[in-house]
Amino acid sequence: MSNVARVFQNPAEGMITFRGDLASRTVKKAIRSVAGVAMPPAGEIRGEWGRGVGWMSPDEVMVLVPYADVGSATARLNATLSGTHVLVADVSDARVCFRVEGGQAAAVLARLCPVDFHPDSFGVGTLRRTRLAQVATAVWRHDTGFDVICFRSVADYVQGVLVNAEQSVLRGALGS
Amino acid sequence: MLILTCPYCGVRADETELSPGGEAHLKRFGPGSNDEAFEGYLFVRENPKGVHFERWRHSYGCGKWFHAARCTTTLEVFGTYEAQTSEPPKAIREAISAKRPGWSWRDLS
C-alpha cells in the first residue's frame, strides 16, 4: 500500500557514549581502533549503524559497534585511555535506533523535527541532535534514508509518531 | 519564532530545541556580600524594550550553555557567543551598534 516511506526498528547494535577531548591524538587513535573509522567533523557521522562514530557535541561522540563487541570495545577504550580524562559508557540497551527509508523519508521527519532536511543542507553523513515531536533524538542521513536514535523508554512513542507521520505524508494530516 | 545559532555546534536551532536561561552576565554576590548586593543578584533584572543579552541552553542538541544578543521588540538576533566570557565580545557589540546606534544595556553601550 504505502511506498512513500518505511519505518522500522533497526536490529540492536552496540552504542558507546564517549566524552573527552576529541582533538587529542590519543583519543582519536583509540576511537579509530575501536570503530574502524576516523573521528568525524562537527555535525557529521562516519560509518553506519553497527560500525561508526557520530559527533554528538564538542566533547562527545557516539561510538557504534556490533552488539556482541560492546564489552570488548569498552574495555579496550578504557585500557588505551587509562590516565586520560575521559568517560566511556555502554548505552546499547538505553537507546534504540529506528530507520526511515523511502523516497519521502525526509518529508516524514520534517513533520516531526524543526530541521531543514533538504539534501542541500542535510546531506548524507550529516548528523543532528534535535527534537522529534516531544523527545530528544539524534538523526542522520545515509544512502537509503535516515537513522533515528532515541531513548529506549520513549521507543513506543517514537515508533508511533513516525508511523503516524508516514501515514500523514501519504494521506494528508486529516487522513482523508 | 526565535532561531539561534549555537556557537558550539553551529546548528541553527529553533526556539523549541533550546531552554531559556534568563539574563546574561550576572555577577554572583554570595556569602560576605551585603544584603543589597545579594538581593540584586537574586532578584533585580533588566526588562528592556530593545537590546537584551540572554543565556540559552542548546538542550535538545549539544547541551551547552551559550549567550545570545537580541532585540526584545523585533526578535532580531544580533549574534550568539560562547558562555566562557563575562561580557559580550567586541564583534557582537559592534554588530548591535551598527543596527541600533545609541543602544545601552546596564553599563554597556
Side-chain angles (χ1 to χ4, degrees):
Chain A
M1 173 190 77
S2 130
N3 58 2
V4 290
R6 219 156 58 90
V7 174
F8 59 94
Q9 191 172 331
N10 273 334
E13 298 286 6
M15 284 175 264
I16 301 168
T17 286
F18 180 92
R19 298 195 84 140
D21 177 9
L22 301 184
S24 137
R25 283 184 61 160
T26 14
V27 166
K28 282 185 181 168
K29 219 170 126 193
I31 298 277
R32 189 187 192 123
S33 77
V34 166
V37 292
M39 184 75 76
E44 289 187 23
I45 183 168
R46 292 263 168 87
E48 55 185 5
W49 178 239
R51 181 65 79 182
V53 186
W55 189 93
M56 304 299 271
S57 89
D59 56 359
E60 180 181 340
V61 287
M62 178 78 87
V63 181
L64 306 170
V65 294
Y67 192 81
D69 298 350
V70 173
S72 60
T74 318
R76 211 155 89 225
L77 279 175
N78 275 323
T80 355
L81 295 170
S82 68
T84 316
H85 182 63
V86 296
L87 167 89
V88 179
D90 171 13
V91 295
S92 312
D93 297 317
R95 320 261 161 104
V96 290
C97 182
F98 290 96
R99 181 157 292 184
V100 185
E101 280 182 347
Q104 304 240 41
V108 171
L109 286 170
R111 284 180 173 259
L112 301 167
C113 307
V115 177
D116 177 10
F117 284 111
H118 191 277
D120 286 352
S121 56
F122 203 97
V124 170
T126 308
L127 180 148
R128 174 159 168 182
R129 291 170 79 183
T130 183
R131 176 182 63 81
L132 183 129
Q134 298 184 47
V135 298
T137 50
V139 182
W140 71 90
R141 187 195 280 268
H142 47 76
D143 294 333
T144 56
F146 295 86
D147 276 356
V148 178
I149 287 184
C150 67
F151 287 116
R152 185 171 289 270
S153 56
V154 293
D156 285 351
Y157 172 79
V158 168
Q159 166 111 38
V161 289
L162 283 174
V163 169
N164 188 52
E166 186 256 330
Q167 293 294 312
S168 306
V169 168
L170 185 65
R171 300 203 197 109
L174 299 177
S176 56
Chain B
M1 186 64 80
L2 204 53
I3 292 178
L4 301 176
T5 303
C6 172
Y8 295 98
C9 56
V11 160
R12 289 183 74 240
D14 177 274
E15 191 178 339
T16 59
E17 293 178 88
L18 306 166
S19 303
E23 188 177 320
H25 306 308
L26 295 177
K27 183 168 186 284
R28 181 173 183 272
F29 288 94
S33 59
N34 63 39
D35 285 356
E36 203 182 330
F38 186 57
E39 188 213 4
Y41 162 63
L42 282 184
F43 301 115
V44 179
R45 295 290 181 268
E46 298 293 319
N47 186 20
K49 184 178 175 185
V51 176
H52 196 29
F53 295 86
E54 289 172 325
R55 298 195 318 142
W56 288 85
R57 181 171 172 260
H58 193 191
S59 49
Y60 276 95
C62 64
K64 307 288 180 211
W65 284 98
F66 62 92
H67 286 131
R70 67 175 182 107
C71 175
T72 57
T73 43
T74 62
L75 293 193
E76 179 177 2
V77 177
F78 303 114
T80 55
Y81 50 102
E82 301 189 350
Q84 287 73 26
T85 174
S86 56
E87 59 175 31
K90 199 160 166 266
I92 297 282
R93 285 153 74 165
E94 282 170 358
I96 300 173
S97 295
K99 287 175 173 164
R100 299 281 189 284
W103 67 279
S104 73
W105 186 81
R106 286 204 218 138
D107 51 353
L108 301 170
S109 58

